[in-house]
Amino acid sequence: MSSPSKARHYRLIAILTLVLLLLLIIWQNSEATTLSLLFFSAELPLMIWLGLFLLIGLLLGMALMWTLRRRSRRD
């Protein structure tokens, strides 16, 4: 088994790698993109569109999970 200092070293490398990848993804998706849905059109950076759709999906998933959980408790 590895010593605590090696585990801490690996954890620090993993955190730095994740931060670097996150910054790369943000930089890559910072270009403005136009989205047109029916009569709605807007121009925002791609990262904001991705974050918005992610948030909508998470909220819909949590709402579905909550309704299914309430329904199973009644039975």
Side-chain angles (χ1 to χ4, degrees), residues 23-51:
L23 289 174
L24 182 66
I25 289 171
I26 290 171
W27 176 70
Q28 182 181 4
N29 293 316
S30 63
E31 185 176 338
T33 306
T34 303
L35 179 71
S36 299
L37 294 172
L38 297 175
F39 302 109
F40 174 76
S41 180
E43 185 171 335
L44 289 171
L46 184 59
M47 193 55 127
I48 292 177
W49 288 121
L50 293 173

Side-chain angles (χ1 to χ4, degrees), residues 59-75:
L59 291 176
L60 286 173
M62 289 188 331
L64 177 65
M65 185 176 59
W66 182 67
T67 56
L68 291 175
R69 188 174 182 187
R70 284 188 66 199
R71 186 178 298 165
S72 68
R73 284 186 179 176
R74 288 183 190 166
D75 296 339

Side-chain angles (χ1 to χ4, degrees), residues 50-64:
L50 293 173
L52 179 67
F53 292 133
L54 175 68
L55 181 66
I56 290 170
L58 284 173
L59 291 176
L60 286 173
M62 289 188 331
L64 177 65

